[in-house]
Amino acid sequence: MSTPKTMRTLFQPSAEEPRLVLIPNHPVPVPREGTDEHLIHVRSVSPCANELNWAKNFPHLQTRELIPCYDIAGTIVAAPPTSDFQPGAEVYARSNYMSPGCARDYTLVGGAELARRPRNVDWAHATSIPLSAQTALQALFVQSGIGGLGDSAWKGKRVLVTAASGGVGSWVVQLGRVAGATVIGTCGPQNVDFVKGLGAEEVVNYREVDLKAWGQKAENQVDLVVDCIGKKSLEDAWWCVKEGGTLISIFQPPEQVQPEECKEKNVKNFFFIVAANRSDLETITKLVEEGKCHGVVDSIWPLEQFEDAFKRLDSGHARGKIILDLTLNQ
């Protein structure tokens, strides 16, 4: 089957406005000769919270086409002759945010970001994995400084994750459990059982329990906080981490909301952005195929219902990832 000349594409007309339009006949991209670009027939993609504001907040991103969605699963159509992924290979990735996103029928992804998709999950669940899983893996086993996956240093460590039912939070819970840590997650009342099912030994229902008060009790202090939501939750998380512990946020620099009373606290704290790569994604693939972890899908939408999908994402109440399935309605 030959590759068409045009395709459907979600496009953001202006960096100043978080609004999308669906273009029915956008040109199909062509891999540049001599590069590591792979042309992929997109099966499904997943958006990231707040990504429609990235180009406004980081003007250097305005030089690329403003196409959203960087979590992708699909089939290789064209590849460099030396690539490990030749036409027909089923792959997934967190693609590079310096390039256009993947909410289109065909997209380009560098080989360094690709991995074979897990054989034991469907396309939607594969798409839900790359960003969330790699972020959690790097937060726990690279950024925290405690130890790698499988390191005995995790035994006896207490890890608190905020927004534990979300995309990244659900992976922090699962990977922390696999590592042997005691994991505590925060979430709303409707997700308490879900978070426990992921492997959290304790769940803090933020509707009923004040996180600051909880953290001020000596027996609740944790070695590591992974914050996934920022703002008030991150501010309260300062009270939960013990002296000499670590506070990591994927939302904002923790010192932006550090309580005055915690200014003298000896806590390593920082914000970080995931660096997507094949090696980490292959580690995740192995864990998924071994049945130790799994992706979490909140809902699946056809591309034409992108507005409703992004509204669900922006609500802040999604359990896991929002998926756009480009095969629906085709």
Side-chain angles (χ1 to χ4, degrees), residues 199-248:
E201 295 196 24
E202 183 178 351
V203 178
V204 177
N205 175 356
Y206 61 74
R207 298 288 186 193
E208 298 179 356
V209 178
D210 180 82
L211 186 60
K212 174 183 174 181
W214 180 89
Q216 287 178 303
K217 296 178 181 178
E219 65 271 21
N220 291 335
Q221 294 272 292
V222 301
D223 301 281
L224 171 66
V225 173
V226 180
D227 167 68
C228 302
I229 197 169
K231 301 178 183 178
K232 184 62 165 62
S233 289
L234 178 55
E235 178 182 342
D236 290 346
W238 274 98
W239 297 96
C240 303
V241 61
K242 64 175 61 171
E243 287 287 335
T246 301
L247 174 55
I248 300 172

Side-chain angles (χ1 to χ4, degrees), residues 17-297:
E17 184 181 1
R19 180 179 67 88
L20 294 170
V21 296
L22 180 58
I23 300 173
N25 54 356
H26 199 67
V28 170
V30 177
R32 293 170 295 171
E33 189 173 350
T35 72
D36 194 29
E37 291 178 341
H38 293 63
L39 180 64
I40 298 175
H41 188 191
V42 178
R43 180 67 183 244
S44 49
V45 295
S46 181
C48 179
N50 201 44
E51 70 171 274
L52 299 185
N53 290 311
W54 288 353
K56 178 180 179 180
N57 296 334
F58 304 98
H60 65 280
L61 296 179
Q62 296 177 21
T63 58
R64 57 169 170 70
E65 278 191 297
L66 299 181
I67 298 171
C69 301
Y70 290 83
D71 276 331
I72 173 188
T75 304
I76 300 290
V77 174
T82 57
S83 172
D84 294 331
F85 307 105
Q86 290 301 308
E90 297 182 351
V91 296
Y92 71 152
R94 169 64 175 180
S95 61
N96 191 327
Y97 68 90
M98 293 299 293
S99 301
C102 301
R104 46 185 174 168
D105 289 307
Y106 292 86
T107 195
L108 299 174
V109 179
E113 297 141 21
L114 292 169
R116 175 183 56 79
R117 79 177 182 99
R119 302 180 193 279
N120 60 332
V121 300
D122 58 29
W123 286 100
H125 282 82
T127 307
S128 75
I129 292 171
L131 171 65
S132 297
Q134 290 184 88
T135 301
L137 184 144
Q138 291 176 22
L140 289 169
F141 307 125
V142 179
Q143 301 293 336
S144 76
I146 294 173
L149 180 60
D151 195 312
S152 61
W154 286 98
K155 305 299 181 184
K157 290 292 188 291
R158 288 172 53 83
V159 177
L160 171 68
V161 54
T162 62
S165 62
V168 175
S170 63
W171 275 95
V172 174
V173 173
Q174 293 182 82
L175 291 173
R177 168 183 51 79
V178 170
T182 298
V183 183
I184 304 100
T186 74
C187 65
Q190 70 278 15
N191 288 319
V192 169
D193 290 340
F194 169 70
V195 173
K196 285 182 179 178
L198 293 173
E201 295 196 24
E202 183 178 351
V203 178
V204 177
N205 175 356
Y206 61 74
R207 298 288 186 193
E208 298 179 356
V209 178
D210 180 82
L211 186 60
K212 174 183 174 181
W214 180 89
Q216 287 178 303
K217 296 178 181 178
E219 65 271 21
N220 291 335
Q221 294 272 292
V222 301
D223 301 281
L224 171 66
V225 173
V226 180
D227 167 68
C228 302
I229 197 169
K231 301 178 183 178
K232 184 62 165 62
S233 289
L234 178 55
E235 178 182 342
D236 290 346
W238 274 98
W239 297 96
C240 303
V241 61
K242 64 175 61 171
E243 287 287 335
T246 301
L247 174 55
I248 300 172
S249 178
I250 64 168
F251 186 89
Q252 68 186 110
E255 289 184 352
Q256 290 182 348
V257 292
Q258 185 178 19
E260 191 64 35
E261 300 92 329
C262 296
K263 295 290 187 184
E264 301 302 318
K265 206 168 187 181
N266 176 27
V267 170
K268 182 173 70 171
N269 70 94
F270 52 90
F271 162 80
F272 95 100
I273 298 174
V274 65
N277 63 84
R278 184 192 299 184
S279 177
D280 285 347
L281 196 51
E282 287 176 339
T283 296
I284 295 297
T285 302
K286 186 172 185 290
L287 290 170
V288 172
E289 292 185 336
E290 291 173 348
K292 294 178 179 178
C293 298
H294 60 86
V296 180
V297 172

